[in-house]
Amino acid sequence: MSAPDTGDRPPGAAADTSSQSGLAAALTPVLTVAASLLGLCLLWGLAAHAWPSRAFPGPAQVWQVLLAEAANGDLFYHLGATLGRVAAAYVVAMVVGSVIGVLLGSHRSADRFFAPWVVLFLNIPALVVIVLAYIWFGLNEAAAIGAVAVNKIPNVVVTMREGARALDPSYAEMAAVYRFGLLDRIRHVLLPQLQPYLAAASRSGIALIWKIVLVVELLGRSNGVGFQIYLYFQLFDVTAILAYTLAFVAVMLVIELFLVQPVERYATRWRRRPA
Amino acid sequence: MQPVGAVVPLRVDIAEKTFRSAQGVSITALQDLSFEVRQGEFACLLGPSGCGKTTTLRILLGLDKDFSGSFQLPEGGSDRIAAVFQEPVLLPWRTVEQNVRLALPKNLRTKNLDGLFDTLGLAGMRALYPAELSLGLARRAALARAFATEPAVLFLDEPFASLDERTAERLRHLLLTVWSARPTTALMVTHNLREALMLSDRIIVLAQRPAHVLGMFDVRLPRHYRNPQVMSDLLRSFQQKFPGVA
Ligand SMILES: Nc1ncnc2c1ncn2[C@@H]1O[C@H](COP(=O)(O)OP(=O)(O)OP(=O)(O)O)[C@@H](O)[C@H]1O
Ligand SMILES: [Mg+2]
């Protein structure tokens, strides 16, 4: 007897990660990443050594500043402020974008009417949205987070609309015959089918959002990594700018490795099959 | 037609069902289709491929409301309906047991399903995901889901299609075992005459598209008398009554 196929994998679906035999096999990718990053640092150090300049500090100097900023608490305060904004904008963008996307994907006439709006919003520059949000709603937290979310929502809409179009009607019909409640339908029928699309939107979302958050902070907030970078730009302190940038990239990497990937592995556990 | 006051659990009276294809061609799938299935009876809809059997079931399941005519589902007791589709349609991201329990009404969610799973030979498979099942096992899980809901009426759409004959035969016996434990008004679609003769109390024979009833064939014999000898007699008398069918 042969097992039936699980069907096509939509874009963004995580690959199976079933072979974890032995510690060495598990460590190899980690070591590769470490060696690769070390190589980059080395190259950077050599370059900085070859062209010594205040505008191009080496990794050791950046590390010194990073430690100092961490010791006096500034680093964590500003990182925290930025992370909070990233998280808030992410949640708002994913929820609003998913709801709109699924509605458009499942109602053909609504989609035809609103499709030009989506294209329009996709093409409004982030800077314009941010400036307008600050002018209309004032230099406050809600305007900042809202502006970031609005920049991301059209992307989420497009991805989730694709996901809704790919929904298998036979599951919805089964749920109708067996009278699933609304919550069960969302939780057990809709969301699992949309999961690869949610993952894809999340991935591109976090990357885009944290970059826009820095601009929002630069233009109208008095804390956060973006504000600090602006401050050190005026002081022409490249070392501090790089220190903050590196710290933030590191945090996002940790989130990706220890939050995003495990959640994804859990959500796709049913795809795994015994060898 | 029916004497007043008679209990008619499932009454179907579809005047017409027409599909319009994307190119604007219209296909009349059903025309003047009317029949009845009595309380606790197992009926089979027998008809050639593409004649409109699935279409009929989809209308009765409430999945297709674009037709003219009417139908009446059984009343009394549970008002739930259950279906075994042409494909198993199990949620791939839920285990076998979760798939069955999700179909149950809230007050039955925690009910004991050991007996049902044992009968269907699924006792060791409750924690598996559908991708880990063979097609035969997946179809058993679909049967388990349908029977677990204790429906007032059960619809089956070629539940044994695309299985090898031995597996299909085992599943037919399993179906009879669970059905006999609680005889539910059932309507099963098939184009396998032998299967219909083995399982049903009455066979509703459909014509080519547009589907309408050619006639009825009652199998009054209790199922445990239907041995190979009797089956070939039944087959012969069916073919006398409906020459050219199957
Ligand atoms: N969504 C649809 N759009 C257009 N035509 C359809 C649609 N669904 C079914 N039909 C047509 O209606 C007719 C009956 O289809 P149906 O699926 O009910 O057949 P069936 O008796 O179940 O066949 P089978 O035994 O092969 O499953 C077919 O000719 C089919 O082409
Ligand atoms: Mg069919």
Side-chain angles (χ1 to χ4, degrees):
Chain A
M1 291 196 274
S2 71
D5 201 81
T6 35
D8 291 338
R9 277 179 197 175
D16 285 2
T17 52
S18 46
S19 61
Q20 284 173 344
S21 56
L23 196 66
L27 274 180
T28 313
V30 180
L31 290 177
T32 314
V33 170
S36 152
L37 290 180
L38 210 71
L40 188 65
C41 264
L42 219 65
L43 199 68
W44 173 16
L46 286 176
H49 193 71
W51 297 283
S53 153
R54 205 167 90 83
F56 190 28
Q61 284 158 281
V62 173
W63 181 246
Q64 291 289 312
V65 173
L66 197 65
L67 289 183
E69 290 285 311
N72 67 23
D74 274 4
L75 183 70
F76 300 111
Y77 169 68
H78 293 292
L79 272 183
T82 300
L83 267 182
R85 288 183 190 121
V86 169
Y90 167 80
V91 170
V92 172
M94 287 303 292
V95 171
V96 176
S98 297
V99 171
I100 297 176
V102 169
L103 286 179
L104 290 188
S106 40
H107 294 87
R108 193 107 56 91
S109 48
D111 184 32
R112 269 199 290 266
F113 183 81
F114 288 109
W117 294 28
V118 176
V119 177
L120 187 81
F121 277 96
L122 264 175
N123 286 294
I124 295 180
L127 194 58
V128 174
V129 176
I130 296 166
V131 169
L132 286 181
Y134 279 147
I135 292 174
W136 289 339
F137 304 107
L139 294 175
N140 55 50
E141 207 62 55
I145 290 167
V148 179
V150 166
N151 272 303
K152 175 59 195 164
I153 285 171
N155 286 299
V156 181
V157 168
V158 169
T159 308
M160 297 314 291
R161 185 174 59 183
E162 220 43 61
R165 283 179 185 151
L167 289 176
D168 185 342
S170 62
Y171 295 128
E173 291 178 346
M174 186 277 291
V177 167
Y178 286 108
R179 310 218 184 126
F180 281 34
L182 181 68
L183 278 183
D184 279 346
R185 269 178 220 228
I186 293 177
R187 203 174 136 212
H188 301 293
V189 181
L190 190 64
L191 286 182
Q193 286 187 82
L194 293 177
Q195 187 274 329
Y197 297 89
L198 281 170
S202 286
R203 253 165 211 289
S204 68
I206 294 181
L208 183 71
I209 282 173
W210 86 258
K211 289 170 193 168
I212 300 176
V213 164
L214 295 203
V215 179
V216 167
E217 288 173 344
L218 182 149
L219 286 176
R221 300 277 71 208
S222 52
N223 57 11
V225 175
F227 170 80
Q228 285 298 93
I229 287 176
Y230 184 53
L231 183 75
Y232 289 117
F233 167 61
Q234 286 170 328
L235 300 175
F236 206 66
D237 186 346
V238 179
T239 317
I241 291 176
L242 286 180
Y244 270 94
T245 311
L246 282 184
F248 201 73
V249 171
V251 169
M252 297 314 287
L253 208 71
V254 167
I255 289 178
E256 163 79 24
L257 279 179
F258 294 98
L259 198 70
V260 177
Q261 289 187 5
V263 165
E264 215 161 280
R265 262 201 298 280
Y266 176 76
T268 54
R269 68 201 178 286
W270 55 272
R271 287 183 197 276
R272 259 174 284 164
R273 279 192 246 166
Chain B
M1 284 188 283
Q2 272 292 317
V4 183
V7 187
V8 181
L10 174 62
R11 189 205 302 255
V12 179
D13 236 317
I14 299 170
E16 193 182 291
K17 163 73 196 170
T18 302
F19 287 107
R20 243 165 291 281
S21 76
Q23 278 80 39
V25 186
S26 53
I27 300 168
T28 304
L30 313 174
Q31 191 137 44
D32 296 325
L33 178 66
S34 56
F35 61 86
E36 291 160 2
V37 180
R38 287 178 288 239
Q39 179 80 51
E41 189 175 64
F42 196 114
C44 273
L45 267 184
L46 182 80
S49 187
C51 78
K53 305 180 296 291
T54 299
T55 306
T56 310
L57 280 203
R58 286 178 56 81
I59 289 174
L60 298 181
L61 287 169
L63 298 175
D64 194 335
K65 299 204 164 69
D66 179 26
F67 67 100
S68 59
S70 64
F71 63 86
Q72 180 192 323
L73 293 181
E75 292 156 5
S78 114
D79 65 337
R80 297 181 67 89
I81 56 178
V84 180
F85 303 91
Q86 223 161 345
E87 298 299 318
V89 198
L90 301 167
L91 299 173
W93 37 84
R94 295 289 176 264
T95 63
V96 169
E97 176 157 4
Q98 287 167 339
N99 263 289
V100 173
R101 290 200 186 277
L102 275 172
L104 299 176
K106 282 264 153 31
N107 57 332
L108 289 180
R109 279 276 162 93
T110 52
K111 90 177 206 185
N112 187 337
L113 295 170
D114 294 350
L116 185 63
F117 278 123
D118 276 343
T119 314
L120 287 170
L122 287 170
M125 325 266 168
R126 297 164 76 138
L128 294 187
Y129 287 103
E132 295 162 343
L133 302 178
S134 66
L135 182 59
L137 289 172
R139 289 191 183 280
R140 291 190 206 188
L143 284 178
R145 176 174 63 192
F147 280 98
T149 59
E150 299 178 13
V153 57
L154 171 65
F155 296 104
L156 305 110
D157 192 351
E158 303 193 40
F160 312 124
S162 53
L163 290 174
D164 61 278
E165 186 46 36
R166 258 187 60 213
T167 314
E169 193 66 14
R170 274 195 64 198
L171 281 183
R172 284 182 203 122
H173 282 111
L174 287 178
L175 169 64
L176 273 188
T177 315
V178 272
W179 182 80
S180 310
R182 184 181 172 278
T184 307
T185 310
L187 181 64
M188 179 169 111
V189 159
T190 180
H191 49 222
N192 182 335
L193 175 57
R194 245 184 49 77
E195 176 174 289
L197 287 173
M198 170 187 165
L199 294 175
S200 56
D201 299 302
R202 140 182 281 198
I203 301 173
I204 302 158
V205 185
L206 297 186
Q208 280 283 6
R209 207 183 75 214
H212 56 270
V213 178
L214 270 185
M216 300 281 182
F217 186 84
D218 283 302
V219 191
R220 297 232 168 66
L221 211 61
R223 286 177 186 77
H224 55 271
Y225 289 131
R226 299 183 197 172
N227 57 37
Q229 176 58 45
V230 175
M231 285 286 285
S232 59
D233 290 348
L234 282 173
L235 209 63
R236 211 170 312 117
S237 59
F238 183 92
Q239 274 157 355
Q240 263 163 20
K241 193 167 173 193
F242 298 101
V245 172

